[in-house]
Amino acid sequence: MFLNTSLEKIIALQRNAANIRNLCILAHVDHGKTTLADCLVASNGIISSRLAGKLRYLDSREDEQIRGITMKSSAISLHYRQGEEYLLNLIDSPGHVDFSSEVSTAVRLCDGAIIVVDAVEGVCPQTQVVLRQAWLENIRPVLVINKIDRLIMELKLTSQEAYTHLQKILEQVNAVTGTLFSSKVLEERAEKQKEEEKDSETSSGEQVYNWSAGLDEADDSNLYFSPDQGNVVFASAIDGWGFSIQQFAHIYSQRMGIKEQVLLKTLWGDFYLNSKAKKIMKGAQAKGKKPLFVQFVLDNIWSLYDAVVNKRDKEKVEKVVASLGVKVMARDSRHSDPKVLLSAISSQWLPLSQAVLAMVCEKLPSPLDIAAERVEKLLSVGTRRFDSLPEQTQELKKGISTYTHTHKHTVLPDGCSASDSVPEVPHLSCCSMESLYLLMGRELEELEEVPAGNVLGVRGLEDCVLKSATLSTSPACPPFIPLNFEATPIVRVAIEPKHPSEMPKLVRGMRLLNQADPCAEVLIQETGEHVLVTAGEVHLQRCLADLRDRFAKIEISASKPIIPFRETVVRPPKVDMVNEDLGKQQKVAIIHQVKEASQSRSSDTLHVDSSGLVTLTTPNRLATVSIRAIPLPQEVTLLLESSSELIRSLEQVNLSLREGKGLDISIRTLEAIAELKAQLESLLQGRKWRNAVERIWAFGPRRYGPNILLNSVEGYQRPSVWQCLGRGGQAGAQAAVLRDFDNSVVSGFQLATLSGPMCEEPLMGVCFSVEGWDIQSSALSQNQDTMEQDSTSHDTLSESKADGSGKACEQVESTAAEPSQARRRPETASADCYGPVSGQLIAAMKEACRQAFQAQPQRLMAAMYTCEIMATAEVLGRVYGVLGKREGRVLHEEMKEGTDMFIIKAVLPVAESFGFADEIRKRTSGLASPQLVFSHWEVISSDPYWVPTTEEEYLHFGEKADSANQALKYMNAVRRRKGLYVEEKIVEHAEKQRTLSKNK
């Protein structure tokens, strides 16, 4: 029995946490998730119109201003059992991949999830993503297989064929879950094995470890989806019906006199009814019998569709209505659309909301049942393990697990400030919650208090919260771990108001958007442009619409999408552009070309030799550096890119060690750093990479990027970047001393990798080897004199460094010693980073890196999307045509078993992706729809500076080589946008043209 919900009823139900269910609905796009949410909410009298509310909170300075994200939320009250009433906080979230950040927000808020899968399409890319997100947040899922009507009406399957098809879909979903479970168990077993090995270091002999032992011992009884466990519902949300096998077990136990428990175990599986013996027996498939699920369940549904939709047999329909005991209104039975009559019958016979909500109440946990593992994971922020946290923080686990705290609407006393309450806790501020709200679809109901375990809206936090924050009455509570985002912000546009006078409104609107959307980023460029960064084209359109209609409420102009690129170097080619082998003489010709180019760049302070070694002297002749650029192996670049957070943690540890501070590092982080080092050593093999990992000077740009600065200076032994791996985290800290101006070399490297010479884009996959570094002794005394001239100027410069205004050492001087420290310890501290020598050395290092980069074959790297398209055979050629036109590359295609659908997996440059989805839909009449996910960076094979050098190239391309050069097109577009010089000829061999207009 379901009830219309009153506010008083919900307030009463909020106090009983055991009967609260916080759940979200997750699915691949177009799998019927929103229709399902509408059915669940509308059937319980919450909202009569379409569910389109926002999870939102109010701006305290303007009551009319609403900020929010695109999740939908509502509360449902229902009677599930006799005498028991439940409160369901239901959150619907988008299915498009661009909005996966909102899926992350939804799963963080909830204790359970409804996974919706299309009965025809089965497991799709986004289905795997949402299953993984639910798994990472330790929330329990249940499954709804939706759109079963498509098996009847579109695929024309028989009930037996449909049963086989549904079995395969369940296998697909369980395969994803099983993979997640197996990887988790094996990781835990590996950690346990490491601990055991440490404990048994004294034991001798080799030990053989059985990796599968952990899987055999692990309990996965409640892990998988199975109808007989009650965590699967079969449904057609558009027709309003759905069921679990529990419903049919209850019906047939009364009708046939068979125990309900027996039917529960046999309705799904290889069981059939022996009519002679009147027994349920196993082996339906082997004996060619109809399984019970087909005979008792699917046959009835197929008969209903056949009578109502296919044959429109009025007499049979009347018999069905009478046998089911349902009431059909006259207007429904007379309606011209048979689906109206079908929905009227099926929604009373097998009401969808009853099946799904009963499953939710039975199988999903209440807030009281939060897993201890989830609590520990939420509190273990950064690289620290839960058992290494302070005792006060660990004690909070009990309060969260038992929900003993009640969050009331309280106001801080007058005069309270963060400095009074928590003077020594960083990144902590005091705030007051002005109002608490119950989320009811589009409506917000203000409440005086909200007991623990409920989803609520809060007003008054806009000055304290950027995108997410953790509210706590205890300063010992760390911020919860960041959300796990599947989408990467990659598409950016510059935004300005149509009317310049409205710039303050735009700035405020963009700040609100930045707070409201977890995946959107707002930047201000050096040029003063306001830039919005989004996850994709659909996300960009949504953010622009929200900015225009909701946040800024002004007319805005957006630039064309700003596409990011990367710059890199590659090994010299072995074949020419016509795929002919480059012979020895041709290679010599190319080397001479490189020599001529480098000689044109040479001057009295710059020298580039034939091997690509660049030697540069500072203008004051006091310092000289010799740099060589080497392309990193692709595997190393990928490893550095994926390990950016770990490298950032490594840099923080090294900074603490250089400053003489201790840092509590978790064993897991040290193990990850050691593994990173081992992986680099295994990938950097060969004579030129000998001992290279130990000689890594820095990573860049920003000290954690995918480029390496290598110390190949003879006789210079500096502290290793891996010094934290020494015993106690302190070994090697004093083994070597930094040379003066060491930071200046690193600074120049960081600036060079941040902005490359091709089109001022960041570098990627480049190793700069410092093979010579000489500083005249007079440079040190000159620098020391400068330091002593005006000691007060250092304080001013230190302040400017703190707020990021230092130009010479921008983004890279976090490890430089303060000038005062340099004066106290001149024998160990680095020289002053603001002196004339260090400034010139930074500039020289940056220029030397750029020249070394240009001495090698240069290439652009494009951001690439992975594109998955589901299409039917008749439109396959059109899909390929659109991909080819946009520089896409098909990786593989396969036919989805049991359907006429093909799954095409391709890669597509982000630069070519705008309008791609719309073009695909237009060309295929809506029969194909792509999902674009940022995947990787890929080297564009064509050389943007290429000119024909071999006879074959001259014959094939001609002297001007005027065929389309994709890399050159991209490079010139970026240079043009940035206001850089573009070398291109507008008109060549002009002719006088006829005037076609008539004289008047």
Side-chain angles (χ1 to χ4, degrees), residues 149-201:
D149 59 288
R150 292 184 67 192
L151 302 180
I152 308 171
M153 306 304 298
E154 291 182 25
L155 299 188
K156 309 292 184 182
L157 300 182
T158 65
S159 55
Q160 180 68 49
E161 291 169 339
Y163 172 65
T164 306
H165 183 79
L166 293 172
Q167 282 182 313
K168 290 177 181 176
I169 288 179
L170 267 177
E171 289 171 5
Q172 292 172 5
V173 179
N174 285 330
V176 177
T177 308
T179 303
L180 295 168
F181 176 72
S182 301
S183 60
K184 176 189 175 184
V185 171
L186 292 177
E187 284 176 8
E188 291 175 350
R189 292 294 298 170
E191 289 182 7
K192 188 176 180 182
Q193 176 69 8
K194 287 179 182 179
E195 293 175 2
E196 291 174 357
E197 287 175 355
K198 290 176 183 177
D199 295 338
S200 59
E201 285 180 351

Coordinates of all heavy atoms in Angstrom, one line a residue, residues 149-201:
D149 N 9.9 -4.9 -23.2 CA 8.9 -4.8 -24.3 C 9.6 -4.7 -25.6 O 9.0 -5.1 -26.6 CB 8.0 -3.5 -24.1 CG 8.9 -2.2 -24.0 OD1 9.6 -2.0 -23.0 OD2 8.8 -1.5 -25.0
R150 N 10.8 -4.3 -25.7 CA 11.6 -4.2 -27.0 C 11.9 -5.6 -27.5 O 12.0 -5.8 -28.7 CB 12.9 -3.4 -26.8 CG 12.7 -1.9 -26.5 CD 14.0 -1.2 -26.5 NE 14.7 -1.2 -27.8 CZ 16.0 -0.9 -28.0 NH1 16.7 -0.5 -27.0 NH2 16.5 -0.9 -29.2
L151 N 12.1 -6.6 -26.5 CA 12.3 -7.9 -27.0 C 11.1 -8.5 -27.7 O 11.2 -9.3 -28.6 CB 12.6 -8.8 -25.7 CG 13.8 -8.4 -24.9 CD1 14.0 -9.4 -23.7 CD2 15.1 -8.3 -25.7
I152 N 9.9 -8.0 -27.3 CA 8.6 -8.5 -27.9 C 8.3 -7.7 -29.2 O 8.1 -8.3 -30.2 CB 7.5 -8.3 -26.9 CG1 7.8 -9.0 -25.6 CG2 6.2 -8.9 -27.5 CD1 6.8 -8.7 -24.5
M153 N 8.4 -6.4 -29.1 CA 7.9 -5.6 -30.2 C 9.0 -5.3 -31.3 O 8.6 -5.2 -32.5 CB 7.4 -4.2 -29.7 CG 6.4 -4.3 -28.5 SD 4.9 -5.3 -29.0 CE 4.3 -4.3 -30.4
E154 N 10.2 -5.2 -30.9 CA 11.3 -4.9 -31.9 C 12.0 -6.1 -32.4 O 12.1 -6.4 -33.6 CB 12.3 -3.9 -31.3 CG 11.7 -2.5 -31.1 CD 12.8 -1.5 -30.5 OE1 14.0 -1.8 -30.7 OE2 12.4 -0.6 -29.8
L155 N 12.6 -6.9 -31.4 CA 13.4 -8.1 -31.8 C 12.5 -9.3 -32.2 O 13.0 -10.2 -32.8 CB 14.3 -8.4 -30.7 CG 15.4 -7.4 -30.3 CD1 16.4 -8.0 -29.3 CD2 16.1 -6.8 -31.5
K156 N 11.2 -9.2 -31.8 CA 10.3 -10.3 -32.1 C 10.8 -11.7 -31.6 O 10.6 -12.7 -32.2 CB 10.0 -10.4 -33.6 CG 9.7 -9.1 -34.3 CD 8.3 -8.7 -33.9 CE 7.8 -7.4 -34.7 NZ 6.5 -6.9 -34.3
L157 N 11.4 -11.6 -30.4 CA 11.8 -12.9 -29.8 C 10.7 -13.7 -29.2 O 9.7 -13.1 -28.8 CB 12.9 -12.6 -28.7 CG 14.1 -11.8 -29.1 CD1 15.0 -11.7 -27.8 CD2 14.9 -12.5 -30.2
T158 N 10.8 -15.0 -29.2 CA 9.9 -15.8 -28.5 C 10.2 -15.7 -27.0 O 11.3 -15.3 -26.6 CB 10.0 -17.3 -28.9 OG1 11.3 -17.8 -28.6 CG2 9.7 -17.4 -30.4
S159 N 9.3 -16.2 -26.2 CA 9.5 -16.2 -24.7 C 10.8 -17.0 -24.4 O 11.6 -16.6 -23.5 CB 8.3 -16.7 -23.9 OG 7.9 -17.9 -24.4
Q160 N 11.0 -18.1 -25.0 CA 12.2 -19.0 -24.8 C 13.5 -18.2 -25.2 O 14.5 -18.2 -24.4 CB 12.1 -20.3 -25.5 CG 13.3 -21.2 -25.3 CD 13.3 -21.8 -23.9 OE1 12.3 -22.3 -23.4 NE2 14.5 -21.7 -23.3
E161 N 13.5 -17.6 -26.3 CA 14.6 -16.8 -26.8 C 14.9 -15.6 -25.9 O 16.1 -15.3 -25.6 CB 14.4 -16.3 -28.2 CG 14.4 -17.4 -29.3 CD 13.9 -17.0 -30.6 OE1 13.2 -15.9 -30.7 OE2 14.2 -17.6 -31.6
A162 N 13.8 -15.0 -25.4 CA 14.0 -13.9 -24.5 C 14.7 -14.3 -23.2 O 15.5 -13.6 -22.6 CB 12.7 -13.2 -24.2
Y163 N 14.3 -15.5 -22.7 CA 14.8 -16.0 -21.5 C 16.3 -16.2 -21.6 O 17.1 -15.8 -20.8 CB 14.2 -17.3 -21.1 CG 14.8 -18.1 -19.9 CD1 14.8 -17.5 -18.7 CD2 15.4 -19.3 -20.1 CE1 15.4 -18.2 -17.6 CE2 16.0 -20.0 -19.1 CZ 16.0 -19.4 -17.8 OH 16.6 -20.1 -16.8
T164 N 16.8 -16.8 -22.7 CA 18.2 -17.0 -23.0 C 18.9 -15.7 -23.1 O 20.0 -15.5 -22.6 CB 18.4 -17.8 -24.3 OG1 17.6 -19.0 -24.3 CG2 19.8 -18.1 -24.6
H165 N 18.3 -14.7 -23.7 CA 18.9 -13.4 -23.9 C 19.0 -12.7 -22.5 O 20.1 -12.1 -22.2 CB 18.0 -12.5 -24.8 CG 18.5 -11.1 -25.1 ND1 19.5 -10.9 -26.0 CD2 18.2 -9.9 -24.5 CE1 19.8 -9.6 -26.0 NE2 19.0 -9.0 -25.1
L166 N 18.0 -12.8 -21.6 CA 18.1 -12.2 -20.3 C 19.2 -12.9 -19.5 O 19.9 -12.2 -18.7 CB 16.8 -12.3 -19.6 CG 15.6 -11.5 -20.2 CD1 14.3 -11.9 -19.6 CD2 15.9 -10.0 -20.1
Q167 N 19.4 -14.2 -19.7 CA 20.5 -14.9 -18.9 C 21.8 -14.3 -19.3 O 22.7 -14.1 -18.5 CB 20.4 -16.4 -19.3 CG 19.4 -17.2 -18.5 CD 19.4 -18.7 -18.8 OE1 19.5 -19.0 -20.0 NE2 19.4 -19.5 -17.8
K168 N 22.0 -14.0 -20.6 CA 23.3 -13.5 -21.1 C 23.5 -12.1 -20.5 O 24.7 -11.7 -20.2 CB 23.3 -13.5 -22.6 CG 23.4 -14.9 -23.2 CD 23.3 -14.8 -24.8 CE 23.4 -16.2 -25.4 NZ 23.3 -16.2 -26.8
I169 N 22.5 -11.3 -20.4 CA 22.6 -9.9 -19.9 C 23.1 -10.0 -18.4 O 24.0 -9.3 -18.0 CB 21.3 -9.1 -20.0 CG1 21.1 -8.8 -21.5 CG2 21.4 -7.9 -19.2 CD1 19.9 -8.0 -21.8
L170 N 22.4 -10.9 -17.7 CA 22.9 -11.1 -16.3 C 24.3 -11.6 -16.2 O 25.1 -11.1 -15.3 CB 22.0 -12.2 -15.6 CG 20.7 -11.6 -14.8 CD1 19.9 -12.8 -14.3 CD2 21.1 -10.7 -13.7
E171 N 24.7 -12.4 -17.1 CA 26.1 -12.9 -17.1 C 27.1 -11.7 -17.4 O 28.1 -11.6 -16.7 CB 26.3 -13.9 -18.1 CG 25.7 -15.3 -17.8 CD 25.7 -16.3 -18.9 OE1 26.3 -15.9 -20.0 OE2 25.1 -17.4 -18.8
Q172 N 26.7 -10.8 -18.3 CA 27.5 -9.6 -18.6 C 27.7 -8.7 -17.4 O 28.8 -8.3 -17.1 CB 26.9 -8.8 -19.7 CG 26.9 -9.5 -21.1 CD 26.0 -8.8 -22.1 OE1 25.5 -7.6 -21.8 NE2 25.9 -9.3 -23.3
V173 N 26.6 -8.4 -16.7 CA 26.6 -7.6 -15.5 C 27.5 -8.2 -14.4 O 28.3 -7.5 -13.8 CB 25.2 -7.2 -15.0 CG1 25.3 -6.3 -13.8 CG2 24.3 -6.6 -16.1
N174 N 27.2 -9.5 -14.2 CA 28.0 -10.2 -13.1 C 29.5 -10.3 -13.5 O 30.3 -10.4 -12.6 CB 27.4 -11.6 -12.9 CG 26.1 -11.5 -12.1 OD1 25.9 -10.6 -11.3 ND2 25.2 -12.4 -12.3
A175 N 29.8 -10.3 -14.8 CA 31.2 -10.4 -15.2 C 31.9 -9.1 -14.8 O 33.1 -9.2 -14.3 CB 31.3 -10.6 -16.7
V176 N 31.2 -8.0 -15.0 CA 31.8 -6.7 -14.5 C 32.1 -6.7 -13.0 O 33.1 -6.3 -12.5 CB 31.0 -5.5 -15.0 CG1 31.5 -4.2 -14.5 CG2 30.8 -5.5 -16.5
T177 N 31.0 -7.1 -12.3 CA 31.1 -7.1 -10.8 C 32.2 -8.1 -10.4 O 33.0 -7.8 -9.5 CB 29.8 -7.5 -10.2 OG1 28.7 -6.7 -10.8 CG2 29.8 -7.4 -8.7
G178 N 32.3 -9.2 -11.0 CA 33.3 -10.2 -10.7 C 34.7 -9.7 -10.9 O 35.6 -10.0 -10.1
T179 N 34.9 -9.0 -11.9 CA 36.2 -8.4 -12.2 C 36.6 -7.4 -11.1 O 37.8 -7.5 -10.7 CB 36.2 -7.7 -13.6 OG1 35.8 -8.7 -14.6 CG2 37.6 -7.2 -13.9
L180 N 35.7 -6.6 -10.7 CA 36.0 -5.6 -9.7 C 36.3 -6.3 -8.4 O 37.2 -6.0 -7.6 CB 34.8 -4.7 -9.5 CG 34.4 -3.8 -10.6 CD1 33.1 -3.1 -10.4 CD2 35.5 -2.7 -10.8
F181 N 35.5 -7.4 -8.1 CA 35.7 -8.1 -6.8 C 37.1 -8.9 -6.8 O 37.8 -8.8 -5.8 CB 34.6 -9.1 -6.6 CG 34.7 -10.0 -5.5 CD1 34.5 -9.6 -4.2 CD2 35.0 -11.4 -5.6 CE1 34.7 -10.4 -3.1 CE2 35.2 -12.2 -4.5 CZ 35.0 -11.7 -3.3
S182 N 37.4 -9.5 -8.0 CA 38.6 -10.2 -8.1 C 39.9 -9.3 -7.9 O 40.8 -9.7 -7.2 CB 38.7 -11.0 -9.4 OG 37.6 -11.8 -9.6
S183 N 39.8 -8.2 -8.5 CA 41.0 -7.2 -8.4 C 41.1 -6.8 -7.0 O 42.3 -6.6 -6.5 CB 40.8 -6.1 -9.3 OG 39.6 -5.3 -9.0
K184 N 40.0 -6.5 -6.3 CA 40.1 -6.1 -4.9 C 40.7 -7.2 -4.0 O 41.6 -6.9 -3.2 CB 38.7 -5.7 -4.4 CG 38.7 -5.3 -2.9 CD 37.3 -5.2 -2.4 CE 37.3 -4.9 -0.9 NZ 35.9 -4.8 -0.3
V185 N 40.2 -8.4 -4.2 CA 40.7 -9.5 -3.4 C 42.2 -9.8 -3.6 O 43.0 -9.9 -2.7 CB 39.9 -10.8 -3.7 CG1 40.6 -12.0 -3.0 CG2 38.5 -10.7 -3.2
L186 N 42.6 -9.7 -4.9 CA 44.0 -9.9 -5.2 C 44.9 -8.8 -4.6 O 46.0 -9.1 -4.2 CB 44.2 -10.1 -6.7 CG 43.6 -11.3 -7.3 CD1 43.7 -11.3 -8.9 CD2 44.2 -12.6 -6.8
E187 N 44.4 -7.6 -4.7 CA 45.2 -6.5 -4.1 C 45.4 -6.7 -2.6 O 46.5 -6.5 -2.0 CB 44.5 -5.2 -4.3 CG 44.7 -4.6 -5.7 CD 43.9 -3.4 -6.0 OE1 43.3 -2.8 -5.0 OE2 43.8 -2.9 -7.1
E188 N 44.3 -7.1 -1.9 CA 44.4 -7.4 -0.5 C 45.3 -8.5 -0.1 O 46.1 -8.5 0.8 CB 43.0 -7.6 0.1 CG 42.1 -6.4 0.1 CD 40.7 -6.7 0.5 OE1 40.4 -8.0 0.7 OE2 39.9 -5.8 0.8
R189 N 45.3 -9.6 -1.0 CA 46.1 -10.7 -0.8 C 47.6 -10.3 -1.0 O 48.5 -10.8 -0.3 CB 45.7 -11.9 -1.7 CG 44.4 -12.5 -1.3 CD 44.4 -13.2 0.0 NE 45.3 -14.3 0.0 CZ 45.7 -15.0 1.1 NH1 45.1 -14.6 2.3 NH2 46.5 -16.0 1.1
A190 N 47.8 -9.5 -2.0 CA 49.2 -9.0 -2.3 C 49.8 -8.3 -1.1 O 50.9 -8.4 -0.7 CB 49.2 -8.2 -3.6
E191 N 48.9 -7.4 -0.5 CA 49.4 -6.6 0.6 C 49.7 -7.5 1.8 O 50.7 -7.4 2.5 CB 48.3 -5.6 1.0 CG 48.2 -4.4 0.0 CD 47.2 -3.4 0.5 OE1 46.7 -3.5 1.6 OE2 46.9 -2.5 -0.3
K192 N 48.8 -8.5 2.0 CA 49.0 -9.4 3.1 C 50.3 -10.3 2.9 O 51.0 -10.5 3.8 CB 47.8 -10.4 3.2 CG 47.8 -11.3 4.4 CD 46.5 -12.1 4.5 CE 46.5 -13.0 5.7 NZ 45.3 -13.8 5.8
Q193 N 50.5 -10.6 1.6 CA 51.7 -11.4 1.3 C 53.0 -10.6 1.6 O 54.0 -11.1 2.1 CB 51.7 -11.8 -0.1 CG 52.9 -12.6 -0.6 CD 53.1 -14.0 0.0 OE1 52.1 -14.4 0.7 NE2 54.2 -14.6 -0.2
K194 N 53.0 -9.3 1.3 CA 54.1 -8.5 1.6 C 54.4 -8.4 3.1 O 55.5 -8.4 3.5 CB 53.9 -7.0 1.0 CG 54.0 -7.0 -0.5 CD 53.7 -5.6 -1.0 CE 53.8 -5.5 -2.5 NZ 53.5 -4.1 -3.0
E195 N 53.3 -8.2 3.9 CA 53.5 -8.2 5.3 C 54.1 -9.5 5.8 O 54.9 -9.5 6.7 CB 52.2 -7.9 6.0 CG 51.6 -6.5 5.7 CD 50.3 -6.2 6.3 OE1 49.7 -7.2 6.9 OE2 49.7 -5.1 6.0
E196 N 53.6 -10.6 5.3 CA 54.1 -11.9 5.7 C 55.5 -12.1 5.3 O 56.3 -12.7 6.1 CB 53.2 -13.0 5.1 CG 51.8 -13.1 5.6 CD 51.0 -14.1 4.9 OE1 51.5 -14.7 3.9 OE2 49.8 -14.3 5.3
E197 N 55.9 -11.6 4.2 CA 57.3 -11.7 3.7 C 58.2 -10.9 4.7 O 59.3 -11.3 5.0 CB 57.5 -11.2 2.3 CG 56.9 -12.2 1.3 CD 57.0 -11.6 -0.1 OE1 57.3 -10.5 -0.3 OE2 56.6 -12.4 -1.1
K198 N 57.7 -9.7 5.1 CA 58.5 -8.9 6.0 C 58.7 -9.6 7.4 O 59.7 -9.5 8.0 CB 57.9 -7.5 6.2 CG 57.9 -6.6 5.0 CD 57.2 -5.3 5.2 CE 57.2 -4.5 4.0 NZ 56.4 -3.2 4.2
D199 N 57.6 -10.3 7.8 CA 57.7 -11.0 9.1 C 58.6 -12.2 9.0 O 59.1 -12.6 10.0 CB 56.2 -11.4 9.5 CG 55.4 -10.2 9.8 OD1 55.9 -9.1 10.1 OD2 54.1 -10.3 9.7
S200 N 58.7 -12.8 7.8 CA 59.4 -14.0 7.7 C 60.7 -13.8 6.9 O 61.1 -14.6 6.1 CB 58.6 -15.1 7.1 OG 58.1 -14.7 5.8
E201 N 61.4 -12.7 7.1 CA 62.6 -12.4 6.4 C 63.7 -13.4 6.8 O 64.6 -13.7 6.0 CB 63.1 -11.0 6.7 CG 62.3 -9.9 6.0 CD 62.8 -8.5 6.3 OE1 63.7 -8.4 7.2 OE2 62.4 -7.6 5.6

